[in-house]
Amino acid sequence: MSESETRSAAETVFTVDALLKYMGNDQKAITVVAKIVTDALATGEQLLAVAERGVAAGQYAEAAHAFHGLRGSVGTLGAKRFVGAALAAELAIVDQREDDVAPLLAVVEHEFGLVAEQAAAWLTRSAR
């Protein structure tokens, strides 16, 4: 396995296993974590919209702030790949690499879609 394959395998799209374990891994924990997942996704959608508007309008400080917030909210879901993408976009803004921002935003959007998809599947499974 190559170094990049090893890194990709270690970087998760979505996992709340550690959070569940920390909270007792019982039905009460599942209920609380389901609320955390739902809230994080809603906040993530709002912040992603702010980032998209900021990038489109050239308001990079606003977009960078949104990317930072995204890392915090969606990062609670064990979304290491998403966090890496949001950090790369934020750093492109900080480093004034404006040509890189839009392509990195596309990666953030893609990764958020993957997180949302896996989170929705987890929510469905946990509701049983």
Side-chain angles (χ1 to χ4, degrees):
M1 187 178 281
S2 74
E3 181 183 334
S4 63
E5 290 172 328
T6 302
R7 191 181 74 242
S8 292
E11 293 175 343
T12 55
V13 172
F14 169 87
T15 181
V16 290
D17 295 344
L19 187 56
L20 282 168
K21 185 177 178 183
Y22 176 77
M23 297 183 73
N25 210 16
D26 58 8
Q27 188 56 48
K28 182 178 178 183
I30 291 170
T31 301
V32 171
V33 172
K35 172 85 168 104
I36 291 169
V37 169
T38 302
D39 291 350
L41 290 176
T43 299
E45 287 176 6
Q46 293 168 354
L47 289 171
L48 188 54
V50 169
E52 290 167 339
R53 285 192 304 270
V55 169
Q59 297 174 336
Y60 294 116
E62 181 179 340
H65 185 72
F67 286 128
H68 185 81
L70 278 163
R71 289 190 295 121
S73 63
V74 180
T76 62
L77 306 179
K80 291 182 180 183
R81 285 176 38 166
F82 176 84
V83 168
L87 178 60
E90 182 182 352
L91 290 176
I93 292 169
V94 169
D95 295 341
Q96 298 180 350
R97 293 180 285 121
E98 293 179 10
D99 291 344
D100 294 340
V101 176
L104 289 169
L105 172 60
V107 174
V108 172
E109 292 167 331
H110 173 74
E111 290 298 327
F112 184 79
L114 294 176
V115 172
E117 183 180 291
Q118 288 190 15
W122 180 85
L123 287 167
T124 299
R125 285 190 311 274
S126 68
R128 292 185 213 163

